[in-house]
Coordinates of all heavy atoms in Angstrom, one line a residue:
E48 N 99.4 4.1 -26.3 CA 98.4 5.0 -25.7 C 97.2 4.2 -25.2 O 96.7 4.3 -24.1 CB 97.9 6.0 -26.7 CG 96.8 6.9 -26.3 CD 96.2 7.6 -27.5 OE1 97.0 8.1 -28.3 OE2 95.0 7.8 -27.6
E49 N 96.7 3.2 -26.0 CA 95.6 2.3 -25.6 C 96.0 1.5 -24.4 O 95.1 1.2 -23.6 CB 95.3 1.4 -26.8 CG 94.6 2.1 -28.0 CD 93.2 2.6 -27.6 OE1 92.3 1.7 -27.3 OE2 93.0 3.8 -27.6
A50 N 97.3 1.1 -24.3 CA 97.7 0.3 -23.1 C 98.0 1.2 -21.9 O 98.4 0.7 -20.8 CB 99.0 -0.4 -23.5
G51 N 97.9 2.5 -22.0 CA 98.1 3.4 -20.9 C 99.6 3.7 -20.7 O 100.0 4.3 -19.7
D52 N 100.5 3.3 -21.7 CA 101.9 3.6 -21.6 C 102.1 5.0 -22.3 O 102.6 5.0 -23.4 CB 102.7 2.5 -22.3 CG 104.2 2.6 -22.0 OD1 104.6 3.7 -21.5 OD2 104.9 1.7 -22.4
F53 N 101.9 6.0 -21.6 CA 101.9 7.4 -22.2 C 103.4 7.8 -22.5 O 103.6 8.5 -23.5 CB 101.2 8.4 -21.4 CG 99.7 8.1 -21.3 CD1 99.2 7.7 -20.1 CD2 98.9 8.3 -22.4 CE1 97.8 7.4 -20.0 CE2 97.6 8.0 -22.3 CZ 97.0 7.6 -21.1
A54 N 104.3 7.3 -21.7 CA 105.7 7.7 -22.0 C 106.1 7.1 -23.3 O 106.8 7.8 -24.1 CB 106.6 7.1 -20.9
A55 N 105.8 5.9 -23.6 CA 106.1 5.3 -24.9 C 105.4 6.0 -26.0 O 105.9 6.2 -27.1 CB 105.8 3.8 -24.9
A56 N 104.1 6.3 -25.8 CA 103.3 7.0 -26.8 C 104.0 8.4 -27.1 O 104.1 8.7 -28.3 CB 101.9 7.2 -26.3
H57 N 104.3 9.1 -26.1 CA 104.9 10.4 -26.4 C 106.3 10.3 -27.1 O 106.6 11.1 -28.0 CB 105.2 11.2 -25.0 CG 103.9 11.6 -24.4 ND1 102.8 12.1 -25.0 CD2 103.5 11.5 -23.0 CE1 101.9 12.4 -24.2 NE2 102.2 12.0 -23.0
H58 N 107.1 9.3 -26.7 CA 108.3 9.1 -27.4 C 108.1 8.8 -28.9 O 108.8 9.4 -29.8 CB 109.1 7.9 -26.8 CG 110.4 7.6 -27.5 ND1 111.5 8.3 -27.4 CD2 110.6 6.5 -28.4 CE1 112.4 7.8 -28.2 NE2 112.0 6.7 -28.8
A59 N 107.2 7.9 -29.2 CA 106.9 7.5 -30.6 C 106.4 8.7 -31.4 O 106.8 9.0 -32.5 CB 106.0 6.3 -30.7
L60 N 105.5 9.5 -30.8 CA 104.9 10.6 -31.5 C 105.9 11.7 -31.6 O 105.9 12.5 -32.6 CB 103.7 11.1 -30.7 CG 102.4 10.2 -30.8 CD1 101.4 10.5 -29.8 CD2 101.8 10.3 -32.2
G61 N 106.8 11.8 -30.7 CA 107.9 12.8 -30.8 C 108.8 12.5 -32.1 O 109.2 13.4 -32.8
E62 N 109.0 11.2 -32.2 CA 109.8 10.8 -33.4 C 109.0 11.1 -34.7 O 109.6 11.5 -35.7 CB 110.1 9.3 -33.3 CG 111.0 8.8 -32.2 CD 112.5 9.1 -32.5 OE1 112.8 9.5 -33.6 OE2 113.3 8.8 -31.7
A63 N 107.7 10.8 -34.7 CA 106.9 11.0 -35.8 C 106.8 12.5 -36.2 O 106.9 12.9 -37.4 CB 105.5 10.5 -35.6
M64 N 106.7 13.4 -35.2 CA 106.6 14.8 -35.4 C 107.9 15.4 -35.9 O 108.0 16.3 -36.7 CB 106.1 15.6 -34.2 CG 104.6 15.4 -33.9 SD 103.9 16.5 -32.7 CE 104.7 15.8 -31.2
A65 N 109.1 14.8 -35.5 CA 110.4 15.2 -36.0 C 110.5 14.9 -37.4 O 111.1 15.7 -38.2 CB 111.5 14.5 -35.2
L66 N 109.9 13.8 -37.9 CA 109.9 13.5 -39.3 C 108.9 14.2 -40.1 O 109.1 14.5 -41.3 CB 109.7 12.0 -39.5 CG 110.8 11.0 -39.0 CD1 110.3 9.6 -38.9 CD2 112.0 11.1 -39.8
A67 N 107.8 14.6 -39.5 CA 106.7 15.2 -40.2 C 106.1 16.3 -39.4 O 104.9 16.2 -38.9 CB 105.6 14.2 -40.7
P68 N 106.8 17.4 -39.1 CA 106.3 18.4 -38.2 C 105.0 19.1 -38.6 O 104.3 19.7 -37.8 CB 107.4 19.4 -38.1 CG 108.2 19.2 -39.3 CD 108.1 17.8 -39.7
Q69 N 104.7 19.0 -39.9 CA 103.5 19.7 -40.5 C 102.3 18.7 -40.7 O 101.4 19.1 -41.5 CB 103.8 20.5 -41.7 CG 104.8 21.6 -41.5 CD 104.2 22.7 -40.5 OE1 103.1 23.2 -40.7 NE2 105.0 23.0 -39.5
D70 N 102.4 17.5 -40.2 CA 101.4 16.6 -40.4 C 100.3 16.8 -39.3 O 100.6 16.4 -38.1 CB 101.9 15.1 -40.3 CG 100.9 14.1 -40.7 OD1 99.8 14.2 -40.2 OD2 101.3 13.1 -41.4
A71 N 99.2 17.3 -39.6 CA 98.2 17.7 -38.6 C 97.6 16.4 -37.9 O 97.3 16.5 -36.7 CB 97.0 18.4 -39.3
T72 N 97.6 15.3 -38.6 CA 97.1 14.1 -38.0 C 98.0 13.6 -36.9 O 97.5 13.2 -35.8 CB 97.0 13.0 -39.1 OG1 96.0 13.4 -40.1 CG2 96.5 11.7 -38.4

Side-chain angles (χ1 to χ4, degrees):
E48 175 192 318
E49 289 292 297
D52 187 352
F53 295 109
H57 292 317
H58 174 75
L60 288 166
E62 295 279 0
M64 286 192 289
L66 292 168
Q69 294 302 306
D70 189 319
T72 299

